[in-house]
Amino acid sequence: MKNGKDKGTFGSEIEKYLNEKLFDQEDAVKILTKTLLQASLLKTKNRVRALFTFIGLPNSGKHYLPQLLLQSDSEIENIKTFNMDQYSGNFAIGMEQMNSPLIESEVISFVQDNPKSILLFEDIEKADLQVQLSLYTLFASDEKSPVDFSHVIVIMTTTRLGLLIQRQDLRDLMKTDPLQAHTFLMERLSHEYMMVSGNKEEAFDKKLLSLLNEHTVIPFNRLSLSTLIKIGARTLNEMSQGFTKESGIEVEYTSFDKFISLLTLSLAPYINARHIIKKLPEVMFSKIYDALTLDTHVKQVHFRVSDEAVAFVDDALKDQPLLLKKISKQHKRITLDWKLKYKNGIVDCCVDNAFYSEEKLGTLSEDVLHVADMGFENVAGQQRVKNELLEVLALLKEPDRLKHFDMTPPKGMFLYGPQGMGKKLLARAFAYESDMPYIVISGADLFDASKIHKVYAQAYGSAPSIVILEDIDVQGFMSGVISRMNITPLVEELDGIVQSFESPVFTIATLSDIANIPDELNKAGRIDIRIEVPKLDIEARRFFIQEVLKKPHDGAIDIERVVRYISGMGGNELKRIGQEAALNAARKGLKELTEEILLEQINIIKYGTKLENKQIRDIETSMAKTAYHEAGHAVLSFVLLPNIKIEQVTVAPRSEALGFVSYHNDDYIDATSKDELFNDVCVLLAGRVAKMEKFGESGMETGAINDLEMASLQVYAAIALFGMDDKLGYINVSGVESVYGRKILSKKIEDRMLVWIDDAKKKTQKEVKRLWPAIDAVAKELIKKEVVDGEELKEIINKAIQ
């Protein structure tokens, strides 16, 4: 359409032509034509006719627009494209030194032969920094020019910030305050970097950025679904005409718009212009080929869509944001069912049905945005945590709460607590309740600065969104050294976030211990919220057991008893119970789970595998001694420490112990008194004392080693740390010793420890004699049954001491 009309009229015609050929880029075309007209009319002193930075996602028209400009502008005679990844220092050592003069000579040689041209530098950030600097030298006004560039249009493209410029708040800023938007984009580009040979390197040369800052930035929109369908229609029409011309076989369509819509959507997740142009003809030829196999005398191939498929596509396109959400974030795919029929030289190719299907697991990737499919109601227990998370959620959904205090949305929160208590599940449930997509960084990716940058760039461009950092206190093994996550890249990303109420980027970091939070993240304005996720409460434990009992099971199973046994276990361990118990039942040829199998599986997970009798010398004597030992612990604990609930007592030997008393592993946060601590020492000594009461001196065995160790530590702590000794008074030696670097009161503490231990021994002996009927009854029950449940224990003791 090149002609020689006056510049004003010609500029408007170019704009019209470009908009007809290039879809969805009206703003980009307007900025381009306005800048070119301004350069022509004002005769600026710039070395080049115009210099543009095209920013946008791949396949958005950044390469196509210069081609169209060549066709439409009479002042342009040729175009030269430089793929800048060919000028990267990644190819070989020393290549960066060679690339710099190479590109200069190529540019100069081309412009000498084509003075009225377009120089297109695609993916400028991929070029070595020395190459970028040489381009600055060529095109900057204050440098000597080896050739006349006054009729040359220079275009540099980048996909960096391609997601970011899709944000509505930034698009609005480009219209209301283009100068501020321009400055913001240049600032963001200056913080972009890439990894080269394992080293972090700036993506853009500072001098080149200063040159780009002096000229025009053009943002490119993400192509809309409607536009992509138009591209598909154009591609399909061209393919059909070409096929008919070559083969003589007519290709006809009924409900062409519905047909091309379905065909385009079936290419998900790769619905972009380049993929559509390449793949649609292949899909269509495949169907035509299938049609030709039905008969060699085909005269016409007729494509149509069934009523069911029409209804599906109409419903899908009715809410395009929801459709794109399903495809891009819920990883749904659109599958087409085809039916082919042949009659009288005509093949009928019908899209008989269309439906959503799940993406195959092999194609899923962690570093993509996801949409959570479960909320807080799907998370068992942890009601206090959920309530706190709802309060945080209100800060994001109700901006007035923060605006009242002149605050912006928080950038993130820590979820901390023991492993397996639901932190990761709660993070995803939070994403669901917030209606924000999320992206996960975990494992080795926490040590990868480029991955962290990529994820935050994606989250920032797709805001509102959530970044979940899983187990940030995990240790890695790098260069033979155990190391923790390098927190600097994360700090840089958090500091670079310009938080807004409309498009927040929220970070959720999970870790096991609040003490492991790096100091750099404790700075105000980074991650300000901390929520503890404690051990699973009884409701959560009951939920897991009820899930297990969805498998075939004995109706006589005492659910509450099983729930008591699993106190202290995490979610991963609780999931193992059902899986391993079912496998055990299947191995034994049983048709259902029994209480015995469930409890045994719980004990295996918590305390180790049961030992075979042949591994123990004189099993009957050993079991009897163990029974009185554990009975001594259990009875004195029941009487002296009534607030601590006993889960079970067992003499079944396991890999961890010959026998044990297990307690409900619930958290007790109140302080321990002197009496309670002393009674605990008595309970620890009760095993040996009870055994010797029954078996005399032969009851003094090595099996009490752990009890004696714990008792000694308890006594030392009471005297030297808690200031509970009557003679030495209110002291704590640990602080003094750490400050002054020497031991104090060692001899006196040792003497007092012996007194405490002796007093505890005497009290234990007295209590064992007093409670012997109960100890003897419990021991006999253990010898008979191996295991006594906490509730049974209570009945035996109460009956014996009445």
Side-chain angles (χ1 to χ4, degrees):
M1 64 151 284
K2 294 185 178 184
N3 58 51
K5 294 184 180 180
D6 68 87
K7 288 183 170 60
T9 304
F10 187 50
S12 63
E13 287 197 4
I14 289 179
E15 184 174 347
K16 181 181 178 181
Y17 173 77
L18 295 179
N19 282 326
E20 287 175 353
K21 297 293 183 180
L22 185 66
F23 301 133
D24 278 356
Q25 304 298 349
E26 291 81 4
D27 291 338
V29 168
K30 184 175 182 179
I31 296 172
L32 178 80
T33 53
K34 179 181 176 182
T35 303
L36 290 176
L37 182 60
Q38 176 180 307
S40 298
L41 295 175
L42 299 183
K43 299 296 182 183
T44 59
K45 296 181 180 180
N46 293 322
R47 174 170 295 183
V48 296
R49 177 183 170 191
L51 192 153
F52 298 100
T53 305
F54 287 2
I55 300 177
L57 295 168
N59 306 307
S60 55
K62 302 188 300 298
H63 179 80
Y64 189 38
L65 180 54
Q67 304 292 334
L68 294 175
L69 188 60
L70 171 65
Q71 299 170 19
S72 59
D73 190 336
S74 60
E75 297 183 30
I76 302 174
E77 297 173 351
N78 208 343
I79 187 170
K80 172 73 172 176
T81 300
F82 297 87
N83 295 312
M84 301 311 291
D85 56 357
Q86 297 178 10
Y87 299 90
S88 166
N90 288 330
F91 286 101
I93 297 174
M95 282 298 293
E96 61 271 21
Q97 287 81 11
M98 297 172 57
N99 282 333
S100 184
L102 177 62
I103 195 169
E104 286 183 28
S105 62
E106 288 184 12
V107 168
I108 291 169
S109 175
F110 178 77
V111 172
Q112 285 173 339
D113 295 337
N114 303 274
K116 296 181 178 182
S117 59
I118 295 175
L119 297 176
L120 176 61
F121 300 93
E122 286 203 319
D123 299 321
I124 184 64
E125 76 278 3
K126 294 181 180 178
D128 184 82
L129 293 180
Q130 287 296 322
V131 174
Q132 294 185 28
L133 180 60
S134 68
L135 294 179
Y136 163 80
T137 304
L138 280 175
F139 303 130
S141 299
D142 56 349
E143 300 287 340
K144 289 185 179 180
S145 176
V147 69
D148 182 11
F149 291 109
S150 60
H151 298 288
V152 173
I153 296 174
V154 177
I155 299 174
M156 298 188 185
T157 77
T158 179
T159 56
R160 295 296 176 108
L161 311 187
L163 273 172
L164 177 63
I165 62 171
Q166 309 308 318
R167 287 177 49 151
Q168 190 57 50
D169 54 349
L170 185 54
R171 303 300 266 176
D172 293 340
L173 185 64
M174 290 174 186
K175 293 178 180 179
T176 59
D177 194 341
L179 182 58
Q180 184 182 346
H182 177 96
T183 303
F184 173 76
L185 290 173
M186 284 295 131
E187 177 68 18
R188 294 290 299 189
L189 286 176
S190 70
H191 288 95
E192 288 290 305
Y193 67 86
M194 59 201 311
M195 301 303 292
V196 179
S197 300
N199 298 314
K200 182 178 174 181
E201 187 176 280
E202 291 177 334
F204 297 93
D205 174 72
K206 298 259 184 229
K207 285 194 173 182
L208 180 64
L209 273 182
S210 69
L211 177 65
L212 301 184
N213 187 44
E214 294 171 6
H215 292 271
T216 305
V217 174
I218 298 183
F220 279 68
N221 296 324
R222 176 192 276 118
L223 296 183
S224 67
L225 186 56
S226 300
T227 291
L228 292 170
I229 291 172
K230 287 180 184 178
I231 293 172
R234 184 173 63 189
T235 301
L236 198 57
N237 278 324
E238 291 173 356
M239 188 279 296
S240 302
Q241 292 170 10
F243 177 79
T244 298
K245 183 177 179 181
E246 293 294 327
S247 67
I249 299 173
E250 293 183 10
V251 179
E252 298 291 337
Y253 300 93
T254 300
S255 300
F256 179 75
D257 57 335
K258 309 296 183 186
F259 178 79
I260 189 57
S261 296
L262 283 169
L263 212 58
T264 302
L265 292 176
S266 71
L267 297 178
Y270 307 109
I271 306 181
N272 60 63
R274 187 171 300 175
H275 192 68
I276 289 171
I277 292 170
K278 177 177 174 54
K279 285 296 179 182
L280 268 190
E282 293 180 10
V283 172
M284 288 302 298
F285 182 77
S286 174
K287 296 305 170 186
I288 291 174
Y289 180 83
D290 291 342
L292 295 177
T293 60
L294 297 177
D295 193 280
T296 56
H297 300 93
V298 174
K299 298 177 181 178
Q300 183 187 100
V301 180
H302 179 225
F303 290 96
R304 63 184 182 87
V305 183
S306 72
D307 292 342
E308 291 82 359
V310 168
F312 173 85
V313 73
D314 285 344
D315 184 65
L317 294 176
K318 191 185 305 179
D319 189 344
Q320 290 193 20
L322 177 61
L323 171 63
L324 292 173
K325 182 178 179 180
K326 287 182 176 181
I327 291 173
S328 63
K329 296 169 185 174
Q330 293 180 345
H331 312 295
K332 301 286 186 182
R333 299 295 168 253
I334 292 176
T335 301
L336 306 183
D337 276 347
W338 294 81
K339 281 190 177 179
L340 274 66
K341 293 181 180 179
Y342 174 77
K343 185 177 181 181
N344 299 329
I346 299 175
V347 176
D348 179 68
C349 293
C350 177
V351 178
D352 192 57
N353 198 8
F355 52 91
Y356 290 110
S357 59
E358 295 291 335
E359 183 176 19
K360 293 181 180 178
L361 291 176
T363 63
L364 288 177
S365 171
E366 275 298 303
D367 58 348
V368 297
L369 285 163
H370 300 263
V371 172
D373 56 3
M374 46 80 70
F376 290 146
E377 66 178 15
N378 303 110
V379 179
Q382 303 290 17
Q383 191 56 51
R384 177 192 60 78
V385 177
K386 288 189 241 182
N387 290 339
E388 289 191 49
L389 291 174
L390 287 171
E391 291 173 358
V392 176
L393 190 59
L395 299 180
L396 301 176
K397 288 194 168 186
E398 302 174 31
D400 289 343
R401 291 193 182 199
L402 290 170
K403 289 178 180 178
H404 178 74
F405 293 97
D406 194 25
M407 297 178 69
T408 57
K411 291 183 179 179
M413 68 180 169
F414 292 107
L415 295 180
Y416 67 94
Q419 291 289 335
M421 299 305 160
K423 298 186 294 294
K424 297 172 186 177
L425 203 60
L426 286 165
R428 287 160 172 75
F430 182 89
Y432 177 88
E433 301 291 346
S434 67
D435 195 26
M436 293 161 65
Y438 70 90
I439 189 168
V440 177
I441 309 179
S442 62
D445 289 343
L446 291 168
F447 297 84
D448 187 342
S450 62
K451 178 59 70 70
I452 291 173
H453 179 70
K454 177 184 176 183
V455 163
Y456 271 93
Q458 188 169 359
Y460 201 57
S462 303
S465 59
I466 292 173
V467 176
I468 300 176
L469 307 172
E470 292 186 345
D471 302 325
I472 65 167
D473 51 351
V474 68
Q475 291 184 336
F477 195 74
M478 301 176 67
S479 303
V481 178
I482 294 176
S483 62
R484 290 192 178 275
M485 172 186 177
N486 178 12
I487 217 69
T488 303
L490 175 58
V491 169
E492 291 175 352
E493 296 301 332
L494 290 171
D495 289 348
I497 292 174
V498 180
Q499 200 72 301
S500 71
F501 289 104
E502 295 78 15
S503 302
V505 176
F506 194 75
T507 296
I508 303 176
T510 71
L511 69 164
S512 59
D513 190 344
I514 193 172
N516 293 335
I517 296 176
D519 292 337
E520 299 92 330
L521 294 182
N522 277 321
K523 182 179 178 182
R526 287 179 179 160
I527 301 181
D528 295 320
I529 300 170
R530 291 158 177 75
I531 296 177
E532 181 184 10
V533 182
K535 294 177 182 177
L536 296 177
D537 55 30
I538 192 168
E539 291 303 319
R541 301 200 299 268
R542 185 178 290 110
F543 169 82
F544 275 100
I545 293 304
Q546 288 169 342
E547 288 295 303
V548 170
L549 295 183
K550 288 181 179 179
K551 303 178 187 294
H553 66 279
D554 181 357
I557 290 177
D558 184 347
I559 294 179
E560 296 308 310
R561 184 186 185 201
V562 177
V563 168
R564 290 197 301 271
Y565 270 64
I566 61 176
S567 64
M569 299 180 77
N572 292 333
E573 293 173 317
L574 294 174
K575 288 178 183 177
R576 283 177 55 195
I577 292 171
Q579 180 73 9
E580 295 178 16
L583 286 172
N584 193 1
R587 284 165 52 193
K588 296 179 184 300
L590 302 178
K591 298 299 184 183
E592 59 186 16
L593 298 177
T594 65
E595 186 170 316
E596 180 185 0
I597 288 177
L598 284 176
L599 295 181
E600 176 59 20
Q601 200 59 52
I602 292 167
N603 281 329
I604 287 173
I605 293 172
K606 292 179 78 170
Y607 308 115
T609 306
K610 192 182 283 189
L611 297 179
E612 296 292 334
N613 290 344
K614 64 183 180 180
Q615 295 175 266
I616 303 171
R617 296 175 298 174
D618 191 2
I619 183 64
E620 290 186 7
T621 301
S622 176
M623 181 174 288
K625 287 183 176 181
T626 301
Y628 279 92
H629 182 105
E630 300 304 335
H633 284 316
V635 173
L636 262 70
S637 178
F638 181 84
V639 174
L640 298 181
L641 301 172
N643 293 327
I644 300 178
K645 298 176 182 178
I646 294 175
E647 176 185 272
Q648 64 174 319
V649 189
T650 179
V651 293
R654 295 184 180 273
S655 53
E656 301 295 327
L658 291 178
F660 54 85
V661 178
S662 65
Y663 298 89
H664 285 289
N665 203 338
D666 294 322
D667 292 321
Y668 298 95
I669 60 174
D670 52 327
T672 302
S673 69
K674 178 181 177 179
D675 286 343
E676 288 173 325
L677 194 149
F678 185 77
N679 285 339
D680 193 29
V681 174
C682 294
V683 171
L684 289 165
L685 299 180
R688 170 171 281 187
V689 171
K691 194 190 298 185
M692 292 183 68
E693 179 71 20
K694 176 68 176 176
F695 298 99
E697 288 300 315
S698 68
M700 184 178 287
E701 295 180 326
T702 58
I705 181 173
N706 290 332
D707 297 337
L708 298 178
E709 179 184 0
M710 289 301 300
S712 300
L713 289 172
Q714 292 267 52
V715 168
Y716 178 84
I719 297 168
L721 304 180
F722 303 140
M724 292 179 173
D725 185 63
D726 294 336
K727 299 292 185 183
L728 295 184
Y730 301 168
I731 62 168
N732 179 299
V733 301
S734 64
V736 177
E737 289 176 348
S738 64
V739 171
Y740 293 101
R742 64 184 182 87
K743 298 287 185 180
I744 63 169
L745 300 175
S746 297
K747 182 65 170 60
K748 292 184 177 182
I749 291 172
E750 291 167 7
D751 291 342
R752 293 305 299 166
M753 283 182 66
L754 294 176
V755 172
W756 273 61
I757 291 290
D758 188 60
D759 289 346
K761 174 186 172 184
K762 290 175 181 176
K763 179 175 180 178
T764 304
Q765 290 172 332
K766 179 181 177 181
E767 289 297 314
V768 166
K769 289 183 182 296
R770 182 175 74 87
L771 298 170
W772 186 252
I775 294 172
D776 189 55
V778 171
K780 289 176 178 176
E781 193 70 13
L782 284 170
I783 293 170
K784 183 168 61 175
K785 297 174 56 178
E786 285 194 351
V787 179
V788 173
D789 177 75
E791 291 299 314
E792 295 176 74
L793 177 71
K794 180 179 177 181
E795 293 177 9
I796 294 171
I797 294 174
N798 287 335
K799 182 178 179 181
I801 62 177
Q802 280 180 350

